[in-house]
Amino acid sequence: MRKKMGFQDEMKQMFLRVAAGEVEPKEWEKWWNSNKARLEENLTRGDRGRMMPALWNADYYWMAKTQSGVAYYFHAQGRPVKTSGYYEEKAREEEDRDRQKSMETYHRNTAFARRPWEEYLEGHPAEAVVFDWKSLLGTPPGQKPAKVYDYKHARTTEQWKECGEELKLRLKENLQAKIAPAAKAYGMKKAGPKTFVREKNGLVSRIQFIGYFRGGGYEAMSCYLCPVYAIEYGILGLPGHISQGDYFQKMDNGWGVIQYGMEAVDAAMVESINRKFDDILTYLADGVLPEWQKIDSLETYFAKERRDYLKATEKGPWDPKTARPMWNLDTEGRPDPWRADDYLFGVWDLLSGKEEEGYARLASCVRFNSGYVEERLKERPEAYNDTRDPMAVMYRNAQLFIRTRETADAENRRKAIRETYEDVCRFMRYYHGLDKKTRRD
């Protein structure tokens, strides 16, 4: 009996050390494996499973799980203990190191495609932008003091209105202090209170904060770079580590703080909004905008080197935490669901003199979308003039380009293609927010 009680004392002392964060993973593993038989006698199956899960490994992530199981053990006995944050902190450090190693492997594996793209850019240099965006981080200059509320969650109509108005004020403060200067530094102009656009050498770049449909803040942010004649779907995008990497994940996590207007926008909430806009600014100014700046012509946008690099970066490295790719934009050869790529590349083929390929792509786009668009036009005959109906807009554009095929003379046909391009771009400048409303027949 003394021997059994002696082990119980040893066991509880070890558990207390785990709770205090004093036991390293290897030490815990060795002690547990050396005492398996006695642990089975003194612990329930549930306690053993919580302290030593089946997939347990000697690292800090699993040690934090062990600590949680130990805390549950003492709580069930009516002796709750305070736990240290040591394992969770070390687990975060461990995860950061593993992610860094995984990203280094990703960049090595995509170097075969990155090098030709970098060499192409050396031969086609774009204007550099020098902008101290980090000076914009933190509390916006002149930000109004936070209000004091006597409630946390809005319950009445008046409270909902008050929270919504205060949230919009804080969003506006941050948008003007952080996003607007970054957009301006890259030559973008305001096309509304929440939209920034730029046209250069036949390309349009656009950043738009989309309002939450139930009122409140911003539901999402739309960012795209494409030819003026194109729509924002199915386009050649950004490298995966920029569009879906760590900056994007940090920005996307906790987005609700700038989306919903259902809580009191007190001092803590204002600080959270400020931090979220720091994440958005970092994503844009240290990733998206510099990458866009490299692409200063249609030729560069469609360069094979760029397309090869984007293809190589579609699938991210393995996430050490989830054992899945960090992102996966690979369509595995499946065509774009709206055939917007056929329109995008079809028009470029026509402009590049590859008429046979261009007309074939455009015909595919029109053929695929005809059923949907015809039904849509029955409901809304003006849909092809509506910025809210991009498929109808694209369908009409593709039709206009296809009609140029009817011109028999090659020189006149090239002239018709160029005139159609100018007409389409004239309307699409309105579509992208670059110009005032434009109608077409």
Side-chain angles (χ1 to χ4, degrees):
M1 177 65 94
R2 280 198 209 116
K3 188 175 180 182
K4 184 175 182 181
M5 290 302 293
F7 177 73
Q8 285 183 342
D9 291 339
E10 177 190 340
M11 179 182 73
K12 290 181 180 179
Q13 286 301 313
M14 175 60 84
F15 291 173
L16 288 171
R17 288 182 60 210
V18 169
E22 297 174 355
V23 181
E24 292 298 305
K26 287 290 186 182
E27 180 186 357
W28 169 257
E29 182 180 44
K30 182 178 179 181
W31 179 84
W32 183 276
N33 289 338
S34 299
N35 295 283
K36 273 188 176 181
R38 288 187 290 183
L39 287 165
E40 287 183 6
E41 295 176 7
N42 287 274
L43 295 175
T44 66
R45 183 177 180 181
D47 283 332
R48 296 197 304 274
R50 282 184 285 270
M51 293 183 197
M52 229 22 191
L55 298 176
W56 196 93
N57 192 31
D59 58 35
Y60 290 104
Y61 169 80
W62 286 106
M63 203 64 202
K65 298 290 186 184
T66 293
Q67 186 185 56
S68 177
V70 164
Y72 184 90
Y73 169 82
F74 283 117
H75 176 78
Q77 289 193 337
R79 296 176 52 203
V81 294
K82 185 177 180 180
T83 57
S84 164
Y86 172 75
Y87 298 127
E88 289 186 353
E89 181 181 348
K90 296 294 285 186
R92 283 192 293 269
E93 293 175 2
E94 210 167 45
E95 183 182 346
D96 289 344
R97 285 195 300 271
D98 289 343
R99 285 181 67 87
Q100 182 63 32
K101 290 178 182 177
S102 194
M103 285 302 300
E104 289 171 359
T105 301
Y106 159 82
H107 286 299
R108 284 197 302 272
N109 291 342
T110 56
F112 75 94
R114 186 183 67 251
R115 281 193 292 267
W117 170 230
E118 291 174 344
E119 291 170 1
Y120 176 95
L121 292 174
E122 288 176 5
H124 302 77
E127 180 185 355
V129 172
V130 179
F131 174 58
D132 182 19
W133 60 270
K134 292 183 180 179
S135 65
L136 304 178
L137 298 172
T139 303
Q143 185 176 68
K144 296 181 179 180
K147 294 177 66 174
V148 178
Y149 294 78
D150 58 2
Y151 60 88
K152 180 62 178 175
H153 300 282
R155 304 297 183 189
T156 67
T157 302
E158 291 76 15
Q159 290 174 349
W160 273 66
K161 183 179 179 182
E162 183 179 35
C163 290
E165 290 177 350
E166 187 67 10
L167 176 61
K168 289 175 182 177
L169 170 64
R170 302 307 175 175
L171 300 182
K172 183 178 179 181
E173 287 176 336
N174 276 275
L175 195 71
Q176 292 178 340
K178 298 175 183 178
I179 310 305
K184 184 178 179 180
Y186 283 87
M188 304 181 80
K189 66 178 184 179
K190 293 193 75 172
K194 300 173 292 188
T195 305
F196 306 90
V197 294
R198 181 181 84 164
E199 179 185 357
K200 185 177 181 181
N201 298 333
L203 293 165
V204 57
S205 51
R206 179 181 168 104
I207 299 171
Q208 180 185 18
F209 288 84
I210 302 168
Y212 186 50
F213 75 101
R214 292 182 179 175
Y218 301 145
E219 181 178 4
M221 180 177 66
S222 169
C223 300
Y224 63 84
L225 171 76
C226 69
V228 174
Y229 68 77
I231 64 172
E232 65 272 30
Y233 299 104
I235 60 174
L236 291 173
L238 293 160
H241 57 275
I242 293 177
S243 64
Q244 298 290 313
D246 286 345
Y247 285 162
F248 172 81
Q249 298 298 334
K250 187 175 181 182
M251 177 193 74
D252 194 51
N253 184 36
W255 183 273
V257 72
I258 64 171
Q259 179 174 358
Y260 308 112
M262 297 178 287
E263 290 188 11
V265 188
D266 54 17
M269 179 69 77
V270 171
E271 180 59 25
S272 296
I273 292 170
N274 292 345
R275 288 198 300 269
K276 184 49 56 184
F277 269 91
D278 286 348
D279 296 339
I280 297 171
L281 174 62
T282 302
Y283 170 68
L284 292 173
D286 202 26
V288 174
L289 291 170
E291 191 68 20
W292 283 355
Q293 186 66 13
K294 299 174 184 176
I295 306 162
D296 64 349
S297 69
L298 288 172
E299 288 76 15
T300 298
Y301 182 86
F302 285 102
K304 181 180 183 301
E305 292 84 351
R306 177 170 179 261
R307 285 184 281 141
D308 289 345
Y309 182 45
L310 292 177
K311 182 66 179 176
T313 65
E314 284 182 331
K315 185 174 291 186
W318 290 103
D319 188 325
K321 187 174 182 179
T322 64
R324 295 192 297 268
M326 292 184 192
W327 66 84
N328 189 359
L329 305 172
D330 186 4
T331 60
E332 298 177 352
R334 294 187 300 271
D336 162 60
W338 282 104
R339 302 304 190 270
D341 283 337
D342 281 334
Y343 170 69
L344 174 71
F345 285 97
V347 174
W348 176 242
D349 283 341
L350 292 187
L351 297 176
S352 304
K354 301 176 182 177
E355 293 185 10
E356 184 177 350
E357 296 92 328
Y359 286 126
R361 286 181 181 273
L362 291 167
S364 172
C365 173
V366 168
R367 184 169 57 252
F368 184 82
N369 287 289
S370 60
Y372 166 82
V373 176
E374 286 170 8
E375 289 300 316
R376 191 73 176 134
L377 292 175
K378 287 179 183 178
E379 300 172 9
R380 300 181 62 253
E382 290 292 310
Y384 58 82
N385 277 330
D386 195 333
T387 59
R388 297 168 299 179
D389 211 323
M391 295 308 151
V393 170
M394 180 184 70
Y395 181 82
R396 175 55 59 93
N397 292 350
Q399 279 186 320
L400 294 174
F401 279 107
I402 286 178
R403 287 175 188 172
T404 63
R405 185 168 50 181
E406 299 170 4
T407 305
D409 181 74
E411 185 175 346
N412 288 337
R413 188 166 59 252
R414 286 192 292 272
K415 181 181 178 183
I417 291 170
R418 177 54 60 177
E419 290 175 348
T420 300
Y421 172 75
E422 295 297 338
D423 287 342
V424 166
C425 286
R426 193 174 298 114
F427 176 79
M428 294 304 290
R429 287 189 182 94
Y430 155 65
Y431 175 91
H432 294 299
L434 290 159
D435 210 344
K436 295 180 181 179
K437 188 169 184 177
T438 302
R439 288 184 56 81
R440 57 183 175 181
D441 298 329

